[in-house]
Amino acid sequence: MNPVWIIDDDRSIRWVFEKALTREEIAFKSFGSAAEALASLDAGAPPPQVLVTDIRMPGESGLSLLQKFKARFPALPVIIMTAYSDLDSAVAAFQGGSFEYLPKPFDVDHAVELIRRALDESRKRETTAEAEAP
């Protein structure tokens, strides 16, 4: 199973996710920017099982990253998180195909539960795709 990718320019947020996912024995990779994540993908890294990204980051935004990943991996569950929760960003995230929207600050256990649900969804989509393949 491919790892969960965490993308946030805030080191403390990445650290919290890293500790929580390690505790839950969920494989992950973390990145400080959209550019780092895209460079890893372009260098041949397998795509994530689930993508968790902040909306507002220096350089490319999480919404732009959502569009790029959805164009390449339409079935990929993406969780969008933000400290600047407003209706416009939530609507934009869901219209862009996000799986879930996570406002900051968040409860770590709730965030892990969202990731588990997204992992389950990803597995279901893989199973369905394999069953439909000739």
Side-chain angles (χ1 to χ4, degrees), residues 2-90:
N2 295 349
V4 172
W5 283 16
I6 307 297
I7 305 163
D8 197 310
D9 60 310
D10 185 335
R11 177 72 191 117
S12 63
I13 296 293
R14 293 193 316 269
W15 183 85
V16 166
F17 272 109
E18 290 165 4
K19 295 300 175 195
L21 295 176
T22 297
R23 181 189 72 222
E24 298 294 320
E25 298 181 352
I26 296 173
F28 66 87
K29 289 178 82 171
S30 60
F31 304 91
S33 69
E36 286 179 25
L38 290 168
S40 180
L41 195 62
D42 291 341
Q49 194 81 24
V50 172
L51 180 70
V52 181
T53 184
D54 191 16
I55 285 182
R56 292 189 185 179
M57 298 179 285
E60 192 161 353
S61 76
L63 291 176
S64 172
L65 189 64
L66 169 67
Q67 291 173 344
K68 288 183 177 180
F69 270 81
K70 283 298 199 173
R72 291 172 76 172
F73 313 104
L76 175 69
V78 178
I79 298 170
I80 294 287
M81 58 184 168
T82 184
Y84 306 96
S85 186
D86 61 44
L87 184 59
D88 289 341
S89 61

Side-chain angles (χ1 to χ4, degrees), residues 120-134:
D120 288 345
E121 182 66 23
S122 181
R123 288 183 199 113
K124 286 178 194 171
R125 291 177 182 179
E126 284 178 357
T127 302
T128 301
E130 288 170 4
E132 293 174 354

